[in-house]
Amino acid sequence: MAHNFIDAGVNLTNSQYDDKRSDIVARAKEAGVSNMLLIGSNVSDSQASLALAQEFNVVSTAGVHPHDAKEATDDFIPQIQQLLTQKEVIAIGECGLDFNRDFSPRAIQQSVFEQHLALAKITKMPVYLHERDAFSAMKAHLKNTSVKGVLHCFTGNREALEFYLDYGLYIGITGWVCDERRGAELQSLVPLIPDDKLLLETDAPYLLPRSLSPKPKSRRNEPMFIHEVANTVAKLRGQTIEHIANISVENFNRLFLAGKDR
């Protein structure tokens, strides 16, 4: 039986998808993916994600990823703000802090992140948050404001999960949970996420679920594989895959689309 899924995180602009995007979207729809959120990681990428969202009748984000923070121009906020006027753009981000790779200096990451939070406060739009090995700093920034949104691709510990949930954030779970090597801690935390805070995402083309069998020859993740994330999450939570599909769709619509003219 086919289930209705929403993939709350797809990097459809990624070059791994060049000349294949129509096929990727078609396969996702055949697999029951009724909507997907295309992630923007800088201004030009956010513009490209919007164009794809319009082409495929899905939705997108607009923001500057911490990896790209060092490239952000002085006028990036007005450019993001302009994108937010489009009905397909439903969240601010991907934005946040990444102290794991430090592709941008931490001070610049934090300045750019603060500007995203200020924009979210003004526009009352949800934020699409990235945090890796930067929980203490992220916590400090969030405590200074009040925004709604999702912690995308959550891979933190119990302390982080409890803070994000208490703050009111939704939690995005990816194929990381399907990895028996590095996903063990996440597997233990997934049952602690309330039904009304769970989102499912592939983060495709990254994080191909290790439990997927057979694996695609390309080793490239696709939105069609959201069912594998859902199946693993369902088992860990002692719930049916139908229940997981239903609540994650309801949560997505409540967070991102309530009141939107779509």
Side-chain angles (χ1 to χ4, degrees):
M1 177 178 137
H3 302 290
N4 173 30
F5 296 107
I6 293 179
D7 188 342
V10 184
N11 300 281
L12 197 61
T13 58
N14 190 279
S15 60
Q16 292 186 56
Y17 289 151
D18 286 353
D19 304 321
K20 306 178 186 76
R21 291 184 181 91
S22 294
D23 293 340
I24 299 284
V25 173
R27 283 196 290 270
K29 287 187 174 169
E30 282 173 25
V33 179
S34 61
N35 200 358
M36 57 182 80
L37 182 54
L38 310 186
I39 303 169
S41 58
N42 54 53
V43 171
S44 61
D45 189 52
S46 297
Q47 291 166 340
S49 288
L50 168 60
L52 290 173
Q54 292 169 333
E55 178 181 351
F56 294 117
N57 192 30
V58 293
V59 288
S60 65
T61 75
V64 177
H65 192 290
H67 289 344
D68 295 287
K70 65 182 180 296
E71 311 292 343
T73 57
D74 290 342
D75 65 343
F76 86 91
I77 284 292
Q79 293 185 74
I80 297 298
Q81 213 159 359
Q82 183 60 37
L83 288 168
L84 298 180
T85 64
Q86 302 298 304
K87 71 179 192 303
E88 292 84 4
V89 182
I90 61 170
I92 295 169
E94 182 173 358
C95 62
L97 304 171
D98 192 309
F99 295 172
N100 176 269
R101 294 192 170 176
D102 286 316
F103 286 159
S104 291
R106 293 183 181 185
I108 293 176
Q109 287 188 45
Q110 294 188 73
S111 170
V112 166
F113 181 41
E114 275 293 331
Q115 293 176 71
H116 283 88
L117 291 177
L119 182 60
K121 189 82 172 164
I122 293 165
T123 60
K124 296 185 168 42
M125 288 187 70
V127 286
Y128 197 79
L129 296 172
H130 173 107
E131 181 264 303
R132 194 155 181 213
D133 294 353
F135 171 59
S136 294
M138 174 73 83
K139 180 178 176 181
H141 285 283
L142 290 176
K143 276 188 158 182
N144 286 331
T145 189
S146 176
V147 293
K148 61 182 179 178
V150 58
L151 202 294
H152 152 68
C153 190
F154 177 77
T155 57
N157 59 20
R158 182 164 183 159
E159 180 192 2
L161 178 63
E162 289 177 348
F163 171 79
Y164 293 136
L165 288 172
D166 287 345
Y167 188 86
L169 296 176
Y170 291 68
I171 306 295
I173 300 298
T174 63
W176 189 286
V177 79
C178 305
D179 190 332
E180 79 287 352
R181 305 163 307 163
R182 60 181 182 171
E185 185 171 27
L186 181 59
Q187 289 174 356
S188 73
L189 296 176
V190 159
L192 304 180
I193 302 170
D195 273 10
D196 64 353
K197 292 297 182 197
L198 177 70
L199 294 178
L200 300 180
E201 43 178 328
T202 58
D203 203 24
Y206 313 116
L207 299 178
L208 179 71
R210 272 179 61 84
S211 55
L212 191 67
S213 182
K215 290 185 176 60
K217 289 195 175 101
S218 67
R219 296 283 163 164
R220 181 187 61 226
N221 200 7
E222 292 187 23
M224 68 180 288
F225 299 135
I226 193 78
H227 67 82
E228 187 65 20
V229 179
N231 192 45
T232 301
V233 167
K235 286 178 182 172
L236 290 167
R237 292 168 66 88
Q239 296 171 322
T240 64
I241 191 170
E242 182 176 29
H243 180 74
I244 294 298
N246 288 342
I247 61 173
S248 59
V249 167
E250 286 170 12
N251 294 342
F252 184 94
N253 290 336
R254 186 189 319 113
L255 174 60
F256 293 118
L257 300 181
K260 290 287 281 189
D261 180 23
R262 271 191 61 77

